[in-house]
Amino acid sequence: MYEDITMEDIPIAQDAFGDQYIYRNGSIYRLNLESGELENLNATLTQFLENIEMNGIEYLSLQQIFELRELGVKLGLCEMMNVYPPFILSCEGKRSYKPIPSQEQIAFLKDFYNQIKNVKDGTVITIELK
């Protein structure tokens, strides 16, 4: 599914938008499920947990979740926040946010990634909603 992920990688966490945190060879990586980009956070597991404890909202990019809560958009148990258009795409207007079941969000991100993974930066694409 995601080319940079190996069988030795261990998923240890997931954020409210669906991105995964991976333990690999003593370091923590963040897998962006929209783009497939694997970012080395340059942190051991202990450092990762300490960073969350010190400033988890910023470290895990949860600011938008708290802003949405103030507007009445809240996540329920086993839900993730679906974003349209996805963050990886430029957006001239406002993005829409909708809580959906976690399995649906992960399936959406997987499908979206598979459709755009070979598209070059700057290419104009059209999204059709079903």
Side-chain angles (χ1 to χ4, degrees):
M1 172 163 88
Y2 290 91
E3 289 80 12
D4 290 337
I5 300 300
T6 70
M7 293 301 291
E8 289 77 33
D9 292 334
I10 302 169
I12 61 161
Q14 190 167 24
D15 70 20
F17 294 99
D19 289 344
Q20 306 262 325
Y21 293 86
I22 308 294
Y23 180 82
R24 174 190 282 180
N25 298 324
S27 292
I28 304 299
Y29 292 75
R30 178 179 168 265
L31 175 63
N32 181 310
L33 293 190
E34 288 182 7
S35 67
E37 179 184 339
L38 189 63
E39 173 189 6
N40 187 342
L41 298 181
N42 297 310
T44 64
L45 180 57
T46 300
Q47 292 166 330
F48 175 74
L49 295 172
E50 288 171 351
N51 289 337
I52 292 170
E53 187 172 339
M54 286 189 311
N55 192 1
I57 293 171
E58 185 175 323
Y59 190 69
L60 299 175
S61 301
L62 295 175
Q63 300 92 330
Q64 290 171 314
I65 296 297
F66 285 92
E67 290 169 12
L68 291 167
R69 285 186 70 137
E70 291 177 15
L71 298 173
V73 181
K74 297 179 182 179
L75 290 173
L77 188 60
C78 298
E79 288 184 329
M80 290 181 176
M81 194 63 71
N82 181 266
V83 182
Y84 183 83
F87 290 124
I88 195 171
L89 301 178
S90 62
C91 176
E92 293 180 11
K94 291 185 176 183
R95 285 188 158 79
S96 66
Y97 298 87
K98 177 182 174 186
I100 64 172
S102 297
Q103 290 178 326
E104 284 182 34
Q105 176 68 355
I106 293 171
F108 168 78
L109 293 171
K110 177 184 173 186
D111 182 57
F112 179 77
Y113 167 73
N114 284 325
Q115 291 181 56
I116 68 157
K117 66 183 175 183
N118 296 316
V119 175
K120 294 181 181 178
D121 285 348
T123 302
V124 176
I125 64 171
T126 302
I127 297 178
E128 294 181 18
L129 300 176
K130 296 179 182 180

